[in-house]
């Protein structure tokens, strides 16, 4: 089975590839959207939950590419901000509006907004988690499998973060539980994948893929 990793985020593609490669899925060939050598219009992520958006992306890209598609919708939930940035994590600095701003600049502005909104909140009240929902859709638009993963942590205070050069998005702000000693941007890619929301969701999806391709 050829499966397109249906994301425009190269960091996600790299993390997903690494985890799924480690799962030894012999009947599965993974390709990225970039490998297909064409541009595809990005579907509007209008779902109210990560799970809905994952299904939207997987089915939209499956229809566009004609292949099975695996999509990831993910983001950061901060308890002190009532779960924000949540489903608008990627565009938090513009209230969820897609303005065409480059990813690097967006990440930086998103991080600044989060730190600003948490100003004065002590470390023990900065609990947060990364959430990842995945969906696998067939070319006919059927959702064949879904999976979820989470990673608990805290958003560091300004004396501790930003720190680290790996990863992307909110990683430089996110102190990983249970010891909150390093940010997820300080973890080597392998270590992040072993602990992360995306790693967990991908390993669960691999189990689903083994089941699907075995029949
Ligand atoms: P696609 O929709 O093309 O997959 P995207 O980056 O826009 O790419 P999402 O809509 O799922 O993806 O938004 C995910 C955002 O959540 C991402 O841009 C980061 O801001 C944040 N995020 C998700 N996983 C993360 C991780 O592992 N480390 C840091 N930030 C993460």
């Amino acid at each position: 089975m050829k499966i397109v990793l249906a994301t425009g985020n190269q960091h996600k593609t790299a993390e997903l590839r690494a985890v799924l490669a480690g799962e030894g899925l012999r009947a599965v060939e993974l390709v990225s959207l970039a490998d297909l050598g064409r541009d595809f219009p990005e579907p509007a992520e209008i779902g109210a939950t990560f799970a809905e958006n994952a299904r939207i992306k997987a089915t939209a890209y499956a229809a566009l590419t004609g292949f099975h598609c695996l999509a990831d919708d993910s983001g950061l939930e901060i308890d002190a901000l009532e779960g924000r940035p949540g489903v608008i994590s990627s565009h938090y600095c513009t209230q969820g509006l897609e303005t065409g701003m480059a990813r690097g600049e967006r990440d930086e502005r998103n991080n600044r907004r989060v730190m600003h909104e948490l100003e004065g909140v002590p470390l023990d009240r900065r609990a947060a988690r990364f959430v990842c929902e995945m969906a696998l859709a067939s070319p006919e638009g059927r959702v064949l499998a879904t999976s979820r993963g989470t990673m608990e942590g805290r958003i560091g205070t300004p004396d501790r973060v930003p720190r680290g050069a790996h990863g992307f998005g909110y990683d430089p702000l996110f102190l990983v539980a249970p010891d909150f000693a390093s940010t997820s941007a300080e973890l080597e890619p392998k270590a992040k994948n072993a602990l992360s929301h995306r790693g967990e969701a991908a390993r669960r999806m691999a189990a689903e893929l083994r089941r699907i391709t075995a029949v």
Side-chain angles (χ1 to χ4, degrees), residues 20-171:
L20 293 173
E23 290 293 307
L25 297 163
R26 259 172 266 118
V28 169
E29 181 198 350
L30 297 173
V31 297
S32 67
L33 282 176
D35 293 334
L36 297 180
R38 302 189 265 146
D39 281 339
F40 298 97
E42 282 188 27
E45 296 178 30
I46 53 172
T49 62
F50 296 118
E52 274 178 61
N53 280 333
R55 295 170 89 94
I56 289 170
K57 286 191 261 191
T59 52
Y61 282 115
L64 287 166
T65 62
F67 293 111
H68 284 83
C69 280
L70 178 60
D72 155 323
D73 198 64
S74 46
L76 178 68
E77 293 178 347
I78 302 173
D79 291 350
L81 302 181
E82 292 158 348
R84 294 194 311 275
V87 287
I88 63 165
S89 289
S90 183
H91 301 276
Y92 194 45
C93 60
T94 50
Q95 279 74 248
L97 283 181
E98 300 188 17
T99 59
M101 194 188 299
R103 278 182 193 275
E105 186 180 354
R106 236 192 301 143
D107 284 353
E108 219 176 291
R109 289 191 189 205
N110 288 338
N111 288 1
R112 256 188 274 141
R113 176 161 180 199
V114 160
M115 290 304 279
H116 177 70
E117 291 187 339
L118 288 174
E119 232 165 63
V121 178
L123 188 62
D124 62 355
R125 288 205 278 120
R126 295 166 82 103
R129 75 203 47 79
F130 279 122
V131 179
C132 175
E133 290 275 355
M134 283 182 192
L136 174 73
S138 72
E140 298 78 33
R142 254 192 341 125
V143 174
L144 304 179
T146 58
S147 66
R148 177 183 170 90
T150 57
M151 174 165 65
E152 297 291 331
R154 287 176 181 167
I155 301 303
T157 43
D159 54 322
R160 294 175 186 238
V161 301
R163 245 173 37 211
H166 298 295
F168 66 100
Y170 300 96
D171 281 328

